[in-house]
Amino acid sequence: MPFCRLPAWSAPPVPWFPKAAISAFPEAAMAFPHLQQPSFLLASLKADSINKPFAQRCQDLVKVIEDFPAKELHAIFPWLVESIFGSLDGVLVGWNLRCLQGRVNPVEYSIAMEFLDPSGPMMKLVYKLQAEDYNFDFPVSYLPGPVKASIQENVLPDSPLYHNKVQFPPTGGLGLNLALNPFEYYMFFFALSLISQKPMPMSLHVRTSDCAYFILVDRYLSWFLPTEGSVPPPFSSSPGGSSPSPAPRTPAMPFASYGLHTSLLKRHISHQTSVNADPASHEIWRSETLLQVFVEMWLHHYSLEMYQKMQSPHAKLEVLHYRLNVSSALHSPAQPSLQALHAYQESFTPTEEHVLVVRLLLKHLHAFANSLKPDQASPSTHSHATSPLEEFKRAAVPRFVQQKLYVFLQHCFGHWPLDASFRAVLEMWLSYLQPWRYAPEKQAQSSDSQPRSVSEKWAPFIQENLLMYTKLFVSFLNRALRTDLGSPKNALMVFRVAKVFAQPNLTEMIQKGEQLFLEPELIIPHRQHRHFTVSSSFLSPWPPVVTDASFKVKSHVYSLEGQDCKYTPMFGPEVRTLILRLAQLITQAKQTAKAISDQCVESPAGHSFLSWLGFGTTDPSSCYTGNDLDEMGQDSVRKTDEYLEKALEYLRQIFRLSEAQLAQLTLALGNARDENGKQQLPDCIVGEEGLILTPLGRYQIINGLRRFEIEYQGDLELQPIRSYEIASLVRALFRLSSAINHRFAGQMAALCSRNDFLGSFCRYHLTEPALSNRHLLSPVGRRQVTSPARGPRLSLRFLGSYRTLLLLLMAFFVASLFCIGPLPCSLFLVLGYLLYAIAMTLLTERGKLHQL
């Protein structure tokens, strides 16, 4: 239930005096100036949040937003935003939009979605306050780690989202704040609620795509980043009247023009009050602010090492040059930014829900960028008549998203657990790599069985995102080599990546991009490397656009990895070696899946039940359950084999592997059977103290590809209690048999030493027949050893088995059907066993005579 939870310091319940009632007592207001109307309003709303149901509270809020002016609403705005999205420290969950689902709480869900809709009452409140130019303080301490560390060290972040907003506290004040307008303040809280709130408990199974938060993100993206038409204008603040379009405070430094035409957007934004200005210029700031807030809050997380890696020497100078102008009386001169940031180390682990929301953002941005008209899609063809929204569509992904997304993906690839949950990160990555999937035009398809060919029009995107394709592909290879490819979910991930990269013409365009990057720099002036920097792009005019494709690719790589990066070509020998190793592991996993499938087919349906009773194998090492193939059934085994087979074929197409190479890999697997039909030992090397596992051998053991044959070699009376035995009964029988053996050890030894039939009968029951023939197994070889001599002893452990007890119970039950009592039945059983034991004694003695 999405009820608001109030802070501990909230005001006590106070009667909510309507507007007329307060105006009727001017004397009281003058006598008590600290009890002004906003205080009564805020206290009343806080009291209602405890005493009234959710639906009634929302209705009251709608009336308050409609009836009260902005001067009185600005006092309740911070409290209302926190009560909806929760506190920034994660203590208060607010309406808990991340768990609110329509199928579980349909009434609360519909009310919350209507209230928070882009055209709903909450956004109307935002615009109402926006028109009056109110500011709200946002603590810098709750910003993403890199931004927080940068501002605290007096270094201006590279995003214009923070320009002219940092407010330093007065003497004795606590902490830094950002002075945000209402729209920014609302979006900051909305975006941060995804990562500031505590993760949902594992016991609560919530589908992210059905939650109110996920759907609100989709609605805000569709509203402020429209694929058709323009951004809808803000609503009128009064019925039948018109209000001025709410715009942000005019910045001291105008917005940049995304590197296209500097003067164009300057003209639109810096003259916002002009009556002749394009109305679209009044709305572009909301779209830009929304995207920047989402990117900054969701993607701006990385370590200090990554921060240093991304900064070129020129960027470091620019960061220092544009340092915040801080009074020396309040702050001492700042140290160089990278040295000061040594104190910053952010420990950030995104959740699967976080990744799914980022994927939604990327998919919508591709659709947003691809909604450009064909004659405006190319930067070289647009004119000064192009609207700011069209320019924003062209620059949204490369200008605002690319760098931070690359760092975010690198962090996920390097720190995400090696389990099936990585599928969310994988699909997010693949969604970004395929913008053609979100293009409005439909690509021609040659046949139903052939995949679509990637058009040449996407070559610039691939070249300008080269590292997204090549370096992250290598990172995925390194992950795939450490996972169990026999698992259906892991096999599916390898298949998905191979299928995407095997699309016709994609490999050729990636290779072309690598060739452009590896071209020697002969014509490019060194001074143009200033274009690689990121931090100065918002603060100084961009250099002229260079059409040289090679320079664009180099600019992309250097801006993400630094000018001293060591690039590993995707189609070079190092990556090809990894591909051959992956192909070998795929073949091994296929054979493992086939072996498990054959074992499941050969085993009867009741094999597990019979083993539990003791009729089947009792060797715990005779089966392996290292992956989830045996738990998923035959269909999943066949599906896994299909995924791996297709993935191997796609890899062969991408890297042009020959059939002969794959055949050699199959022969070199070492999966041949030994003389007993069992798998060979894991890959080892012989050391001074025996065999030492190699990294390949450890991989084989972890993934169940090979294993050592383990057999119990100790005293059978002391072996671990099996699953088909009763633990307490086994222990009691062991103590009883130990007492008997200790008391009658001499008599049993004398009986077993006799050479007549009685001696043979006693030896059959009181000695271990296989003791002298047991072998000590070793990976190096098998050798027969002499076990310590044990005298004759009685073993009663067989009576602790479920099988024995079940057989006895069945025998008594059958005897009762023939009117045979328990005592006669016991005598018959003893007599039957004596006859059986006599026969076995005679056969055993005859076998020994033949051996002699």
Side-chain angles (χ1 to χ4, degrees):
M1 293 289 291
F3 293 113
C4 302
R5 300 181 183 178
L6 291 182
W9 44 262
S10 59
V14 177
W16 181 11
F17 296 98
K19 195 174 180 181
I22 296 179
S23 60
F25 300 99
E27 299 84 359
M30 293 178 62
F32 303 96
H34 60 282
L35 294 178
Q36 297 299 325
Q37 182 174 342
S39 299
F40 282 106
L41 178 60
L42 180 59
S44 177
L45 292 177
K46 289 182 177 180
D48 290 345
S49 66
I50 298 178
N51 302 323
K52 290 186 178 181
F54 178 73
Q56 183 63 41
R57 296 203 312 267
C58 289
Q59 292 177 5
D60 293 343
L61 286 172
V62 173
K63 294 179 181 178
V64 168
I65 295 171
E66 290 286 344
D67 297 340
F68 285 80
K71 181 179 180 181
E72 301 165 359
L73 292 175
H74 85 279
I76 70 168
F77 183 69
W79 167 83
L80 181 58
V81 171
E82 185 180 81
S83 66
I84 293 174
F85 301 122
S87 57
L88 295 173
D89 55 8
V91 176
L92 303 178
V93 297
W95 290 5
N96 202 9
L97 298 174
R98 295 164 56 234
C99 297
L100 182 60
Q101 300 181 80
R103 58 184 178 84
V104 179
N105 304 101
V107 177
E108 291 82 358
Y109 173 84
S110 60
I111 293 175
M113 296 300 293
E114 182 179 356
F115 186 81
L116 300 176
D117 190 80
S119 60
M122 189 63 191
M123 198 58 66
K124 185 174 183 179
L125 171 61
V126 171
Y127 293 145
K128 208 170 185 179
L129 297 174
Q130 188 79 37
E132 300 296 333
D133 199 21
Y134 283 109
N135 298 331
F136 299 92
D137 289 340
F138 186 92
V140 171
S141 58
Y142 291 110
L143 293 175
V147 178
K148 177 177 64 177
S150 178
I151 294 178
Q152 289 175 346
E153 297 298 337
N154 307 332
V155 178
L156 185 66
D158 59 0
S159 173
L161 195 63
Y162 309 105
H163 291 180
N164 305 311
K165 294 184 176 68
V166 179
Q167 303 291 321
F168 292 95
T171 304
L174 298 177
L176 300 171
N177 293 311
L178 297 179
L180 304 179
N181 63 48
F183 185 81
E184 294 169 339
Y185 188 84
Y186 176 82
M187 286 302 170
F188 265 63
F189 262 86
F190 176 74
L192 276 176
S193 64
L194 176 65
I195 57 179
S196 62
Q197 299 297 320
K198 297 179 180 178
M200 291 179 291
M202 298 297 295
S203 58
L204 184 61
H205 300 286
V206 178
R207 187 176 179 182
T208 302
S209 58
D210 294 336
C211 296
Y213 186 89
F214 188 89
I215 298 175
L216 276 176
V217 172
D218 186 45
R219 290 188 183 182
Y220 288 155
L221 290 173
S222 301
W223 185 273
F224 295 107
L225 303 177
T227 57
E228 296 180 359
S230 60
V231 182
F235 346 104
S236 174
S237 59
S238 61
S242 61
S243 64
S245 175
R249 304 179 308 280
T250 303
M253 186 72 66
F255 286 89
S257 62
Y258 316 122
L260 300 173
H261 280 272
T262 305
S263 61
L264 179 62
L265 218 78
K266 279 183 180 180
R267 181 174 67 254
H268 284 303
I269 301 299
S270 60
H271 299 84
Q272 293 179 28
T273 59
S274 174
V275 294
N276 299 323
D278 184 357
S281 63
H282 293 279
E283 313 308 327
I284 187 64
W285 72 268
R286 291 185 296 152
S287 303
E288 188 174 4
T289 299
L290 176 85
L291 179 58
Q292 290 185 61
V293 170
F294 284 177
V295 171
E296 286 293 316
M297 300 304 116
W298 295 343
L299 299 180
H300 201 160
H301 302 272
Y302 44 78
S303 62
L304 170 65
E305 291 77 13
M306 184 59 65
Y307 178 86
Q308 294 175 333
K309 185 178 183 181
M310 291 192 306
Q311 302 301 316
S312 64
H314 178 71
K316 299 172 187 177
L317 294 177
E318 294 291 343
V319 169
L320 296 177
H321 178 71
Y322 289 103
R323 183 171 303 167
L324 296 175
N325 186 16
V326 184
S327 173
S328 60
L330 297 178
H331 299 272
S332 60
Q335 301 175 358
S337 60
L338 293 180
Q339 296 180 5
L341 286 176
H342 269 293
Y344 159 65
Q345 288 289 347
E346 183 184 25
S347 176
F348 178 77
T349 303
T351 62
E352 189 172 348
E353 179 190 14
H354 181 179
V355 171
L356 292 175
V357 173
V358 172
R359 186 192 179 205
L360 174 65
L361 171 65
L362 298 179
K363 292 166 66 175
H364 185 86
L365 284 176
H366 277 321
F368 177 68
N370 292 334
S371 64
L372 277 170
K373 298 177 182 179
D375 57 342
Q376 297 174 335
S378 175
S380 60
T381 60
H382 80 286
S383 64
H384 287 280
T386 305
S387 68
L389 183 61
E390 299 299 327
E391 283 198 19
F392 183 59
K393 287 181 179 181
R394 188 180 301 108
V397 173
R399 185 67 191 85
F400 295 100
V401 178
Q402 185 190 76
Q403 184 190 43
K404 291 183 175 64
L405 176 64
Y406 174 73
V407 178
F408 181 77
L409 284 171
Q410 269 200 318
H411 181 80
C412 291
F413 275 62
H415 296 81
W416 202 277
L418 291 172
D419 56 20
S421 65
F422 185 72
R423 175 77 185 279
V425 179
L426 187 79
E427 294 298 336
M428 174 182 64
W429 173 49
L430 296 180
S431 295
Y432 182 79
L433 298 186
Q434 303 177 86
W436 47 86
R437 292 183 56 191
Y438 312 100
E441 69 274 5
K442 300 297 182 181
Q443 300 181 13
Q445 196 167 0
S446 57
S447 64
D448 294 337
S449 60
Q450 295 294 330
R452 296 175 179 176
S453 177
V454 181
S455 173
E456 285 291 337
K457 64 175 288 189
W458 301 106
F461 177 87
I462 295 173
Q463 294 169 7
E464 295 170 8
N465 291 271
L466 184 64
L467 291 179
M468 294 283 193
Y469 290 89
T470 58
K471 186 166 184 178
L472 292 182
F473 179 82
V474 177
S475 299
F476 174 76
L477 280 182
N478 292 324
R479 285 185 61 94
L481 292 173
R482 293 180 290 157
T483 56
D484 177 13
L485 299 183
S487 168
K489 297 177 181 178
N490 292 335
L492 175 59
M493 288 191 282
V494 175
F495 163 74
R496 288 281 296 122
V497 173
K499 181 180 180 181
V500 168
F501 278 83
Q503 295 178 82
N505 202 35
L506 178 58
T507 302
E508 290 75 8
M509 287 190 283
I510 295 176
Q511 285 182 302
K512 177 62 176 177
E514 287 195 327
Q515 292 172 3
L516 292 173
F517 174 73
L518 297 175
E519 284 182 1
E521 296 187 46
L522 299 177
I523 307 176
I524 303 175
H526 181 69
R527 62 180 179 85
Q528 287 185 342
H529 280 283
R530 293 176 180 268
H531 186 75
F532 301 155
T533 66
V534 178
S535 58
S536 62
S537 58
F538 287 100
L539 307 172
S540 60
W542 280 50
V545 176
V546 181
T547 58
D548 181 71
S550 175
F551 177 74
K552 289 183 178 180
V553 178
K554 295 176 188 293
S555 171
H556 156 70
V557 175
Y558 293 149
S559 64
L560 296 183
E561 288 290 331
Q563 298 186 32
D564 56 347
C565 69
K566 296 180 180 179
Y567 181 77
T568 302
M570 177 176 170
F571 298 93
E574 297 181 15
V575 178
R576 190 176 184 84
T577 301
L578 294 178
I579 290 295
L580 292 175
R581 184 181 171 192
L582 179 63
Q584 182 179 11
L585 295 180
I586 289 175
T587 308
Q588 282 183 334
K590 287 176 57 181
Q591 295 182 353
T592 301
K594 184 178 183 303
I596 294 177
S597 177
D598 295 341
Q599 182 180 2
C600 294
V601 171
E602 294 173 1
S603 301
H607 175 73
S608 299
F609 178 72
L610 292 177
S611 297
W612 180 76
L613 292 178
F615 290 102
T617 175
T618 62
D619 184 9
S621 63
S622 61
C623 59
Y624 177 77
T625 58
N627 54 35
D628 55 355
L629 280 174
D630 50 343
E631 300 175 2
M632 302 295 290
Q634 287 296 303
D635 292 339
S636 292
V637 173
R638 286 191 293 268
K639 204 69 175 178
T640 301
D641 186 72
E642 180 182 348
Y643 288 147
L644 295 175
E645 182 68 30
K646 290 183 178 180
L648 192 60
E649 176 61 24
Y650 287 140
L651 291 176
R652 187 187 67 81
Q653 296 175 11
I654 296 170
F655 294 92
R656 298 177 177 86
L657 302 177
S658 62
E659 296 291 345
Q661 288 177 309
L662 296 180
Q664 290 177 357
L665 289 176
T666 304
L667 294 176
L669 283 178
N671 60 348
R673 306 285 176 166
D674 61 12
E675 66 277 6
N676 294 325
K678 298 180 180 179
Q679 283 189 334
Q680 288 185 345
L681 299 175
D683 190 65
C684 304
I685 58 176
V686 180
E688 296 180 357
E689 298 181 356
L691 295 183
I692 301 176
L693 281 173
T694 64
L696 176 60
R698 287 192 290 270
Y699 174 86
Q700 291 168 340
I701 291 179
I702 292 174
N703 295 301
L705 303 177
R706 295 185 185 180
R707 58 186 173 86
F708 291 105
E709 295 294 335
I710 301 175
E711 181 180 340
Y712 184 76
Q713 297 289 323
D715 188 351
L716 296 180
E717 285 293 297
L718 301 177
Q719 63 180 321
I721 297 176
R722 307 298 185 183
S723 60
Y724 53 84
E725 294 178 324
I726 304 175
S728 58
L729 186 57
V730 168
R731 295 188 180 97
L733 292 172
F734 175 75
R735 289 192 291 268
L736 176 61
S737 58
S738 298
I740 295 175
N741 294 332
H742 180 72
R743 175 67 179 82
F744 301 102
Q747 291 85 337
M748 289 189 292
L751 288 174
C752 291
S753 63
R754 299 178 55 165
N755 295 325
D756 53 7
F757 176 78
L758 182 59
S760 301
F761 187 83
C762 292
R763 284 193 297 270
Y764 176 77
H765 289 89
L766 301 179
T767 59
E768 300 178 21
L771 182 61
S772 60
N773 297 325
R774 186 166 302 170
H775 294 80
L776 179 63
L777 302 181
S778 171
V780 181
R782 299 187 178 186
R783 55 190 179 91
Q784 186 169 347
V785 297
T786 303
S787 301
R790 299 190 184 100
R793 57 180 179 172
L794 178 66
S795 177
L796 301 177
R797 181 164 179 163
F798 70 97
L799 294 175
S801 170
Y802 288 107
R803 177 185 61 178
T804 304
L805 297 179
L806 181 60
L807 290 176
L808 291 175
L809 183 62
M810 292 176 60
F812 284 113
F813 176 75
V814 173
S816 65
L817 297 178
F818 295 95
C819 300
I820 301 176
L823 183 58
C825 180
S826 301
L827 293 176
F828 280 120
L829 290 176
V830 172
L831 180 60
Y833 177 77
L834 288 176
L835 295 176
Y836 169 80
I838 291 173
M840 292 301 299
T841 301
L842 295 175
L843 292 176
T844 302
E845 291 298 323
R846 182 175 299 180
K848 291 181 179 180
L849 292 175
H850 284 292
Q851 290 178 0
L852 295 175

